[in-house]
Amino acid sequence: MSDWQEYPARISTLGEDTVIRRLLPHRQRRMIGAWCFLDHAGPVQFAKGKGLHIGAHPHIGLQTFTWMLKGEIIHRDSLGNEQAIRQGQVNLMTAGNGISHTEDSHYEGDSLHTAQLWIALPDSHRHCPPRFEHYPDLPTIAIGNNQLTLLVGDYEGVQSPVMVHTPLFGADLYSPDGGNFRLTLNLSFEYGLMILEGDIQLEHSALTGCTLYYQPPGIESLSLVMQPGSRALLLGGEPFQEAIVLWWNFVARSQEELQGAVDDWNSNNEARFGHMLSGSPAAKLKAPTLENVLLKTSPG
Ligand code: MN
């Protein structure tokens, strides 16, 4: 583990009891490939009558990527999609020039465990029309006693169906019975690793939960020792070559673009963000006032 860089999560609470560990962006590590945002939420068991409810909000310039480990969320968007996402499934929403959506627990008093990620769109695709895809089944690969679920990209000839626009990798690494888990890596990718559940060792050192482990391009393989029932998330990608600005729910290239998105959302510009579906009990979110200090990401 000596040469893996460590970045601690920022921990917050959503609603009354959902613990959120924000692993990307970090001040010293803005992105891993095009992955530019990572929240690890839960696991949480909601109290009777309680759940997660996120009111209508917009996105631009990114893909939202939801990996569901426990519980059930209803996604509704301004394209008219209404889609439940359950354990082992992925929702991918490509915001392009603009989309809006809501996310709600399907059942009150349910449990929830999920990883919510954003993928920055390259200049060639960031103004595309919005779209939404639900992936009910992802390919799995047995590695010894362990299971790799291929979320994004390819591994040993197997290809994930999830459509992305830059060279990218994402995998859920699960060990039901414990054991060694060895993976071959792509030399041109940078990688990020984090624990989702249980206890895991990387090169004979115990990994700390709530920490992102980062490796720049050039690493050939990864060797984990996983305790029974443990699970990790491995992200990778070619270093993103465009300087982005990430603010609120937007990925753009300039302050002016962000201001335009804020104004369009707060003035209910349905030509851009669509007509929001009813169905969520949560109120529409208002874009906050844009500040001058931006999270700037330099290329590489
Ligand atoms: Mn969202």
Side-chain angles (χ1 to χ4, degrees):
M1 201 166 70
S2 54
D3 59 343
W4 285 75
Q5 300 164 25
E6 298 179 31
Y7 299 102
R10 278 177 293 146
I11 299 172
S12 60
T13 312
L14 184 65
E16 287 173 21
D17 38 21
T18 307
V19 174
I20 307 278
R21 300 161 209 86
R22 180 154 302 165
L23 293 133
L24 283 177
H26 185 279
R27 281 170 62 91
Q28 276 87 41
R29 175 46 50 198
R30 305 286 196 210
M31 302 176 80
I32 297 165
W35 298 107
C36 62
F37 178 94
L38 167 54
D39 267 359
H40 175 201
V44 57
Q45 173 65 55
F46 292 112
K48 194 169 177 232
K50 301 281 187 179
L52 178 80
H53 296 286
I54 303 174
H57 61 278
H59 289 286
I60 67 166
L62 56 84
Q63 296 176 291
T64 64
F65 178 99
T66 305
W67 172 231
M68 206 68 182
L69 295 166
K70 205 171 183 194
E72 191 168 329
I73 295 282
I74 299 283
H75 157 98
R76 297 181 180 92
D77 67 39
S78 50
L79 299 174
N81 296 294
E82 178 169 335
Q83 178 66 56
I85 177 172
R86 304 183 175 89
Q87 182 175 343
Q89 301 182 338
V90 164
N91 274 359
L92 181 77
M93 185 176 78
T94 303
N97 193 52
I99 195 169
S100 53
H101 72 147
T102 59
E103 291 155 294
D104 293 284
S105 295
H106 201 173
Y107 310 104
E108 307 303 315
D110 196 2
S111 53
L112 178 71
H113 190 195
T114 183
Q116 169 77 46
L117 299 108
W118 295 352
I119 301 164
L121 287 167
D123 217 32
S124 55
H125 285 81
R126 69 193 187 95
H127 299 297
C128 68
R131 49 187 290 164
F132 173 81
E133 276 100 21
H134 174 67
Y135 298 98
D137 292 300
L138 284 305
T140 60
I141 301 166
I143 301 178
N145 293 325
N146 310 303
Q147 176 178 296
L148 182 154
T149 303
L150 190 55
L151 303 177
V152 174
D154 60 88
Y155 191 79
E156 294 189 342
V158 180
Q159 178 75 44
S160 163
V162 173
M163 195 169 72
V164 296
H165 302 284
T166 51
L168 209 58
F169 180 80
D172 176 283
L173 312 177
Y174 179 60
S175 186
D177 304 317
N180 296 314
F181 204 142
R182 187 177 166 82
L183 290 97
T184 306
L185 302 183
N186 184 327
L187 286 169
S188 64
F189 282 12
E190 56 187 346
Y191 285 95
L193 176 74
M194 51 165 286
I195 290 181
L196 290 173
E197 294 183 280
D199 295 314
I200 300 173
Q201 285 185 353
L202 170 63
E203 293 164 19
H204 310 296
S205 297
L207 293 179
T208 309
C210 308
T211 301
L212 178 72
Y213 294 86
Y214 171 79
Q215 185 70 241
I219 184 174
E220 286 178 9
S221 65
L222 172 69
S223 192
L224 302 173
V225 179
M226 301 185 64
Q227 294 304 307
S230 63
R231 183 187 298 275
L233 182 66
L234 178 66
L235 304 176
E238 276 186 8
F240 198 71
Q241 293 303 317
E242 300 169 29
I244 68 168
V245 286
L246 187 158
W247 184 82
W248 197 46
N249 292 302
F250 303 140
V251 169
R253 299 295 184 273
S254 70
Q255 175 110 359
E256 291 68 33
E257 281 182 11
L258 292 176
Q259 188 63 56
V262 169
D263 294 343
D264 286 344
W265 176 248
N266 286 343
S267 66
N268 299 310
N269 182 343
E270 293 191 350
R272 180 161 195 189
F273 290 113
H275 182 68
M276 199 55 232
L277 280 180
S278 56
S280 173
K284 172 184 168 174
L285 307 184
K286 186 174 186 292
T289 303
L290 182 60
E291 298 153 19
N292 279 313
V293 182
L294 299 172
L295 287 178
K296 276 206 181 288
T297 298
S298 302

